[in-house]
C-alpha cells in the first residue's frame, strides 16, 4: 500500500436473499466451493516465497527485480492457459517513466502493468477487474525490502484466483463476464500504474463492472491480535449498494471472516480509501472494493518477509475476494452504481 507522510491525506445468505436482491443462486452449489478450495495456503506460500524472495530485490518500480517478478507472473498465467487481453499484443502494458514522474520528484524508470484475461461466455464486453500492485520499494541501505505483505500477498492471490477461474472454465462453468487480472506497477510511487490504466484502459471504463483490489492481506494488525479472523473492507458501499451486499453475503456463505469497516469511515484520518489502486477506478465511477489487513510493525520495513505471513488467514481472505468475483462475473444482471461515491 502507498505510504504517505501526512495522514490527512447483504448480510443475507446466498440462498436466503429477499426477492429482487439480485444475488445469483448457482445451479450446483458445490461447484463454487470446489473452486474456492483450489485457493490454498500451500500454493499461496509457494508463490509468495518466490515473488517476495531476495532474488526479486524488493521489486522497485522499473527495476530488474520487478521485471523478474513480472516474468514469474506471466509464466504462471501461461501455464494456466490464460492469455493477455483481447486487443493487446502481450501481457505487458508499458508505462513511460515520464508519466510517473511527480512534479517535484525524481525520475521514475519505465515500467509496465501486467494483465491476463479470461473472456466471458455470455457478456464478454462486461469486465470484472481484480487488481493488486506487484511493485514494492526495492533496496535501502543495502537491505532488501521484500514486501511480502505489501503487496506480495495481493499479487499471488491474483494467481490463485486466476487458477480457480481457469479450472471452472475448463470444466464448462463460465465465467459469464470477462475477468481481467491486473497487476499494476508504481503503486508505491503514487498509484501511477492504476492511474495509467484508468486513463488508457484496454476496455472502456464504462464497461468495467467492478474493481476488486487486494493490497496487504497476509498479516494481522495490533488491533486484531486477540481475534485475527478479520479483514478490513473499504469502499464497498460508496458507489454500489449491491457490491456491499454481495460481499457480506459471500462472506457469510463461504468464508466467515469478521468484516471490519473502520477504514471505510468517511472521516478516517488516515484516508486509507484514497491510498490504493481501487481509487483510480472508483473516481471514474467503477464500483470498487478494497481488502486490507491494516498496518503492522513490519510495514515498509525489510522485515516484511514471507515467513511472517499467516497463510491460513490469507487463504480465507483470498477466497472471499474470489467469491465476490465469481458472483459478480456470473450473475444474470450487471451490478449498478447507484451511489455518488461519497
Amino acid at each position: 500500500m502507498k505510504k504517505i507522510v501526512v495522514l490527512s491525506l447483504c448480510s443475507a445468505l446466498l440462498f436466503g436473499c429477499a426477492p429482487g436482491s439480485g444475488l445469483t443462486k448457482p445451479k450446483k452449489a458445490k461447484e463454487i466451493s470446489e473452486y474456492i478450495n483450489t485457493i490454498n495456503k500451500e500454493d499461496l506460500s509457494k508463490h509468495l516465497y518466490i515473488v517476495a524472495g531476495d532474488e526479486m530485490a524488493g521489486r522497485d518500480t522499473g527495476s530488474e527485480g520487478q521485471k523478474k517478478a513480472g516474468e514469474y507472473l506471466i509464466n504462471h498465467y501461461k501455464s494456466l492457459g490464460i492469455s493477455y487481453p483481447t486487443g493487446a499484443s502481450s501481457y505487458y502494458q508499458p508505462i513511460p517513466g515520464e508519466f510517473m514522474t511527480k512534479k517535484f520528484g525524481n525520475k521514475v524508470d519505465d515500467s509496465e502493468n501486467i494483465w491476463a484475461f479470461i473472456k466471458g461466455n455470455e457478456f464478454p464486453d462486461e469486465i470484472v477487474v481484480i487488481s493488486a500492485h506487484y511493485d514494492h520499494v526495492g533496496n535501502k541501505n543495502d537491505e532488501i525490502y521484500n514486501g511480502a505483505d505489501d503487496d506480495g500477498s495481493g499479487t499471488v492471490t491474483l494467481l490463485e484466483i486466476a487458477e480457480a477461474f481457469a479450472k471452472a472454465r475448463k470444466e464448462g462453468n463460465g465465467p459469464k463476464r470477462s475477468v481481467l487480472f491486473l497487476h499494476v506497477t508504481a503503486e508505491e510511487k503514487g498509484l501511477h500504474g492504476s492511474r495509467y490504466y484508468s486513463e488508457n484502459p484496454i476496455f472502456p471504463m464504462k464497461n468495467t463492472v467492478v474493481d476488486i483490489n487486494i493490497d496487504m492481506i497476509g498479516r494481522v494488525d495490533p488491533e486484531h491480535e486477540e481475534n485475527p479472523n478479520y479483514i478490513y473492507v473499504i469502499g464497498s458501499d460508496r458507489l454500489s449498494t449491491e457490491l456491499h451486499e454481495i460481499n457480506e453475503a459471500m462472506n457469510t456463505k463461504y468464508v466467515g471472516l469478521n468484516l471490519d469497516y473502520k477504514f471505510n469511515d468517511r472521516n478516517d484520518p488516515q484516508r486509507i480509501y484514497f491510498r490504493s489502486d481501487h481509487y483510480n477506478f472508483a473516481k471514474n465511477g467503477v464500483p470498487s472494493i478494497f481488502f486490507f489487513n491494516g498496518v503492522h510493525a513490519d510495514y515498509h520495513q525489510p522485515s516484511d518477509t514471507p515467513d511472517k505471513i499467516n497463510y491460513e488467514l490469507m487463504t480465507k481472505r483470498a477466497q472471499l475476494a474470489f467469491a465476490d468475483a465469481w458472483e459478480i462475473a456470473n450473475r444474470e444482471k450487471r451490478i449498478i452504481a447507484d451511489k455518488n461515491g461519497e
Side-chain angles (χ1 to χ4, degrees), residues 38-57 59 65-66 68-80 82 133-134 146-149 151-164 166 183 217 304-307 309 311 314-315 318:
T38 68
I39 300 170
N40 60 73
K41 63 181 182 179
E42 291 80 14
D43 287 347
L44 288 167
S45 174
K46 177 189 71 175
H47 291 312
L48 189 56
Y49 268 89
I50 295 171
V51 169
D54 286 351
E55 183 182 356
M56 306 306 177
R59 307 187 308 279
Q66 189 198 31
K68 286 182 179 179
E71 289 172 2
Y72 179 80
L73 304 179
I74 290 169
N75 287 334
H76 187 68
Y77 285 117
K78 288 179 177 177
S79 74
L80 297 173
I82 301 175
H133 72 91
Y134 74 110
N146 299 88
D149 190 29
D151 184 29
S153 61
T155 299
V156 302
T157 291
L158 262 62
L159 299 183
E160 282 292 280
I161 292 175
E163 186 169 341
H183 299 267
I217 62 165
D304 181 10
T305 50
D307 58 296
I309 297 293
Y311 288 98
M314 180 177 164
T315 299

Side-chain angles (χ1 to χ4, degrees), residues 305-327:
T305 50
D307 58 296
K308 294 186 177 180
I309 297 293
N310 183 329
Y311 288 98
E312 290 188 5
L313 182 56
M314 180 177 164
T315 299
K316 294 180 71 173
R317 294 162 170 173
Q319 288 175 339
L320 177 56
F322 167 72
D324 285 351
W326 175 278
E327 168 62 30

Side-chain angles (χ1 to χ4, degrees), residues 9 16-17 19 26 42 53 79 96 101 111 120 159 196 215 218 240 243 278-279 285 292 302 313 317 319 329 336 342:
L9 233 195
C17 355
E42 291 80 14
S79 74
T101 302
S111 188
L159 299 183
Y196 188 85
D215 189 353
S240 174
L243 176 57
H278 65 284
Y279 182 64
F292 176 53
L313 182 56
R317 294 162 170 173
Q319 288 175 339
I336 60 171
E342 297 298 325

Side-chain angles (χ1 to χ4, degrees), residues 33 63 66 110 112 135 167 228 261 271 303 334-335 340:
S33 295
S63 68
Q66 189 198 31
D110 293 349
E112 46 279 320
D135 65 303
K167 177 177 170 60
Y261 294 100
R271 294 173 62 81
S303 49
R334 170 180 176 166
I335 65 170
N340 63 7

